[in-house]
Amino acid sequence: MSGLPGARTCPGPGEASDLKSPLSAKFREPLTETRFQQLFGDAEQEPELLAEPRWSRLWRRRASACSGPGAWRLLLARLPPLRWLPHYRWRAWLLGDAVAGLTVGIVHVPQGMAFALLTSVPPVFGLYTSFFPVLIYTLLGTGRHLSTGTFAVLSLMTGSAVERLVPEPLSGNLSGIEKEQLDAQRVGAAAAVAFGSGALMLGMFALQLGVLATFLSEPVVKALTSGAALHVLVSQLPSLLGVPLPRQIGCFALFKTLAAVLTALPRSSPAELTISALSLALLVPVKELNVRFRDRLPTPIPGEIAMVLLASVLCFTSSLDTRYNVQIVGLLPGGFPQPLLPSLAELPRILADSLPMALVTFAVSASLASIYADKYSYTIDSNQELLAHGVSNLVSSLFSCFPNSATLATTSLLVDAGGNTQLAGLFSCMVVLSVLLWLGPLFYYLPKAVLACINISSMRQMFFQMRELPQLWRISRVDFAVWMVTWVAVVTLSVDLGLAVGVVFSMMTVVCRTQRVQCLALGLAEGTELYRPLRESHKLLQVPGLCILSYPAPLYFGTRGQFRRVLEWHLGLGEGRKEAPKTDGPPDAAAEPVRVVVLDCSGVTFADAAGAREVVQLASRCQDAGIHLLLAQCNASVLGTLTQAGLLDRVTPEQLFVSVQDAAAHALERLELNGPKTCTVWV
């Protein structure tokens, strides 16, 4: 082998080579990191700027934000309508936003009252939660197609917390005044949970922790919502059957509720059972028609509001509430509640409930906003979303609202109805406002069994997420395992504990996969300058005495042991070669001992102190064994960490290269296998 395939002889004394113009240059010497910085680094940067402390640069940026232009930029970032409203296309978008907003508002009315029952508060507080958060998100949110308000998963989690904080007396027979006092206490507890959730999200915004959404992977979120849908279904069975049962909370609550329902089944109310059956017989087909003919229908069929009106008229004309003891909504107070700060004494007790709700709120909202932002080619600000939902929960809690977030069903409905911007939220608020101010008495005779049916029918999308499992199995069995573990934990334990189990298990799969990576031995693809893993092809050239290794994983305390073992095995250092497990591309036992090793660090995204010390120890052991160590393609962060750990005490700057090709060319020169002096072609 006379040299690298495709390499050419370096220019002689009479030939020119413009190293400053890589596009026009054909030949160059192998470049070390130091030489590359000399030739192509930013030499014009002022040395005193580099020496400026980080805190000084941060203070200078903060000071610039206090100027007039800086304050205006901050205002534009924190009030998104100032950015999109001047460019609003009134003729093209206004009609779509109006129709979509009115359609979503009509759905908000029955759904808000239905989800209030999940939260264990009177139905009118669901209407408040369908008004204030929508109005606030319109002013602060960046998701143009996002619909916020009551969400079944959050309502279920809030209801469990409320039942635990304010349990119903064991006697069960409450007078009217006692019932009002119990409702007031539960409303206060739900508002306190919303206040704590909003405060936590504002704290996350202050710390710029929008990146935390990445820890809630898609399988975790989908399994969480699908498992919570099953909890919603089971929790509504007593209302469907007309059997008053205490709500079960804690672990195995789903199975306890099922057992209680089966025990009380002989005492079910025939009237409420009939109302439930007729309601589901209407709602489910209408939902299916809306999905199948969404492209042909100008607006979705408002099945919920039609069912509400029909059931109210039937109950009023037949006096079902007095003749058959059918539970009805009753009087909805007109207007708005007086602003009231939730009891701060409750905050320490509800902190453990507020944290998972804040994470679920942000995860569901951010993922939904990202889906439609990618679909319609605009961007969202994850930290601004934290601010929007944090303020929404915090401010709305002052008006006795329970926790809220973006919702799957109404967001899909908003998009299908032609919504274009956040302005659709104002039209939705107008519908809810009209109910709160004028139309509330129309819902007096609405049976609560109809609201339970609305809860169940709204879970359709969440149940159908299970249809994606076969495809997920084919794509990634690890993600399939994350989905199943999260779902089983949510169903078996509870929603908040299931979320914790899912997140921990998801993170553990990441840690385990980084610890099980293989150190790849590279060879030169014949006729090219490309170095590929030896297991990929048999047409790869290996040079006796030269070992090129690629470690495709972060180098931190959890992977340093694996890193040490595989390097010892490949290089024949210590006992590693005998004890380490077999990996791809093993060196031949009869081959020439390794004299030069090139370590490709392009896959090492970061290194901590323990990992950096491991590399320094490797350099020391290679030096003692007479092996020349070359490092290639270290990013700036990894190289800085290695330098601080003392790497340059073991190797020289001439042993750090910008690419594997440069390091291999230098290695061939050192092994004296290339005859005349050669260099690689600039790619």
Side-chain angles (χ1 to χ4, degrees):
M1 180 176 177
S2 61
L4 286 173
R8 300 185 183 273
T9 307
C10 290
E15 303 176 20
S17 178
D18 186 7
L19 289 176
K20 290 289 186 179
S21 303
L23 294 179
S24 61
K26 293 184 178 179
F27 310 109
R28 62 169 172 79
E29 293 286 348
L31 288 178
T32 62
E33 291 279 356
T34 305
R35 182 62 174 160
F36 182 84
Q37 290 298 327
Q38 292 174 353
L39 294 174
F40 304 103
D42 190 3
E44 298 179 356
Q45 191 172 7
E46 297 180 3
E48 59 271 16
L49 187 61
L50 293 174
E52 184 180 7
R54 183 175 180 272
W55 63 266
S56 178
R57 296 197 301 271
L58 181 61
W59 175 262
R60 187 154 39 81
R61 286 198 298 269
R62 296 285 186 185
S64 66
C66 296
S67 62
W72 176 246
R73 286 194 300 271
L74 181 62
L75 191 62
L76 287 176
R78 297 298 166 246
L79 287 177
L82 295 178
R83 296 199 307 268
W84 58 263
L85 198 55
H87 306 286
Y88 189 85
R89 294 189 280 177
W90 295 94
R91 291 185 178 180
W93 292 349
L94 183 59
L95 180 60
D97 282 341
V99 173
L102 294 175
T103 304
V104 171
I106 290 173
V107 175
H108 268 317
V109 173
Q111 271 197 2
M113 293 189 291
F115 291 162
L117 297 183
L118 281 179
T119 317
S120 298
V121 297
V124 69
F125 293 94
L127 297 180
Y128 300 151
T129 311
S130 299
F131 177 79
F132 290 104
V134 177
L135 184 63
I136 295 172
Y137 186 83
T138 301
L139 300 176
L140 298 177
T142 59
R144 297 181 186 176
H145 299 84
L146 211 62
S147 174
T148 58
T150 56
F151 183 37
V153 175
L154 282 179
S155 297
L156 183 69
M157 296 172 68
T158 307
S160 299
V162 168
E163 293 281 349
R164 178 174 54 82
L165 295 171
V166 188
E168 188 171 350
L170 297 177
S171 60
N173 297 322
L174 302 178
S175 64
I177 297 178
E178 291 174 338
K179 185 71 168 63
E180 290 181 1
Q181 293 176 346
L182 179 66
D183 288 341
Q185 293 176 358
R186 289 185 168 181
V187 168
V193 172
F195 186 90
S197 177
L200 286 173
M201 281 188 279
L202 287 181
M204 293 164 63
F205 164 75
L207 298 175
Q208 300 290 288
L209 295 181
V211 70
L212 286 179
T214 58
F215 292 101
L216 293 172
S217 62
E218 183 178 349
V220 171
V221 174
K222 288 190 174 181
L224 172 73
T225 54
S226 182
L230 191 59
H231 277 278
V232 172
L233 172 62
V234 173
S235 68
Q236 296 305 292
L237 289 179
S239 297
L240 290 180
L241 302 175
V243 180
L245 293 175
R247 186 166 181 169
Q248 302 292 336
I249 59 175
C251 297
F252 311 107
L254 185 143
F255 306 103
K256 294 177 183 177
T257 303
L258 279 177
V261 167
L262 291 176
T263 303
L265 196 58
R267 296 185 282 111
S268 60
S269 169
E272 297 201 57
L273 190 59
T274 303
I275 292 174
S276 301
L278 293 176
S279 300
L280 290 175
L282 174 66
L283 289 173
V284 173
V286 169
K287 289 276 188 183
E288 191 66 26
L289 288 174
N290 284 334
V291 171
R292 293 199 176 189
F293 300 100
R294 67 174 62 183
D295 297 331
R296 301 181 186 179
L297 295 172
T299 59
I301 303 173
E304 289 90 347
I305 199 68
M307 188 67 248
V308 164
L309 294 177
L310 287 175
S312 300
V313 171
L314 177 64
C315 185
F316 171 72
T317 56
S318 304
S319 301
L320 297 179
D321 56 325
T322 56
R323 296 174 60 184
Y324 299 102
N325 199 26
V326 172
Q327 298 293 316
I328 60 175
V329 169
L331 180 65
L332 294 179
F336 296 101
Q338 298 235 350
L340 179 65
L341 183 67
S343 175
L344 298 181
E346 296 289 336
L347 290 182
R349 298 175 60 196
I350 55 90
L351 188 60
D353 301 297
S354 297
L355 180 58
M357 291 184 199
L359 294 177
V360 170
T361 298
F362 180 53
V364 172
S365 303
S367 59
L368 269 179
S370 299
I371 289 172
Y372 288 102
D374 294 340
K375 183 177 180 180
Y376 293 98
S377 302
Y378 62 90
T379 59
I380 65 166
D381 184 348
S382 58
N383 285 305
Q384 179 66 19
E385 289 295 298
L386 270 176
L387 175 66
H389 291 288
V391 172
S392 176
N393 278 274
L394 192 67
V395 174
S396 63
S397 70
L398 305 180
F399 295 92
S400 304
C401 297
F402 49 85
N404 61 88
S405 74
T407 62
L408 304 175
T410 55
T411 297
S412 177
L413 181 62
L414 180 72
V415 174
D416 293 339
N420 298 290
T421 66
Q422 296 95 316
L423 195 62
L426 294 181
F427 293 96
S428 174
C429 290
M430 291 170 57
V431 176
V432 180
L433 181 63
S434 64
V435 174
L436 287 171
L437 295 182
W438 303 294
L439 304 179
L442 296 178
F443 300 96
Y444 182 92
Y445 288 98
L446 175 62
K448 291 185 177 181
V450 175
L451 296 180
C453 294
I454 293 174
N455 274 332
I456 293 174
S457 64
S458 65
M459 298 293 103
R460 178 184 180 279
Q461 282 181 304
M462 299 184 190
F463 284 126
F464 283 178
Q465 289 180 136
M466 301 186 74
R467 295 186 300 184
E468 303 175 6
L469 286 177
Q471 182 183 11
L472 190 62
W473 172 266
R474 292 190 297 268
I475 296 174
S476 173
R477 298 189 179 182
V478 174
D479 286 345
F480 179 87
V482 171
W483 202 104
M484 291 303 301
V485 168
T486 306
W487 187 86
V488 171
V490 169
V491 171
T492 305
L493 302 177
S494 61
V495 176
D496 48 356
L497 288 179
L499 173 63
V501 170
V503 171
V504 171
F505 184 77
S506 178
M507 296 304 298
M508 288 302 299
T509 61
V510 175
V511 173
C512 291
R513 279 186 281 186
T514 59
Q515 292 182 325
R516 294 173 62 88
V517 297
Q518 293 181 336
C519 188
L520 305 176
L522 306 182
L524 182 63
E526 190 174 3
T528 71
E529 289 185 318
L530 303 178
Y531 286 84
R532 307 292 296 173
L534 293 176
R535 65 182 180 182
E536 290 187 2
S537 174
H538 298 291
K539 296 182 179 179
L540 296 175
L541 302 179
Q542 293 179 266
V543 179
L546 173 62
C547 183
I548 304 177
L549 301 174
S550 176
Y551 190 76
L555 191 52
Y556 64 105
F557 66 92
T559 59
R560 63 173 184 170
Q562 174 75 1
F563 174 80
R564 179 174 61 251
R565 287 191 295 271
V566 296
L567 265 294
E568 286 178 347
W569 183 79
H570 276 285
L571 302 180
L573 298 175
E575 299 297 325
R577 180 164 183 157
K578 298 178 182 179
E579 298 178 357
K582 185 176 180 180
T583 60
D584 67 294
D588 190 354
E592 180 179 340
V594 176
R595 289 191 288 155
V596 181
V597 58
V598 176
L599 183 58
D600 177 15
C601 299
S602 59
V604 182
T605 54
F606 71 91
D608 67 355
R613 284 195 294 267
E614 199 64 50
V615 176
V616 174
Q617 293 175 8
L618 172 67
S620 177
R621 297 183 65 183
C622 287
Q623 190 177 23
D624 296 339
I627 300 175
H628 192 59
L629 174 65
L630 306 177
L631 301 180
Q633 290 185 258
C634 291
N635 64 50
S637 173
V638 173
L639 190 58
T641 305
L642 295 178
T643 303
Q644 293 295 328
L647 179 66
L648 294 183
D649 296 336
R650 304 296 180 184
V651 302
T652 63
E654 286 72 23
Q655 293 173 251
L656 308 176
F657 290 85
V658 297
S659 70
V660 176
Q661 288 84 355
D662 290 303
H666 175 79
L668 292 176
E669 291 179 359
R670 185 175 182 86
L671 292 171
E672 297 179 352
L673 294 177
N674 59 340
K677 188 174 183 180
T678 64
C679 56
T680 58
V681 179
W682 182 277
V683 180

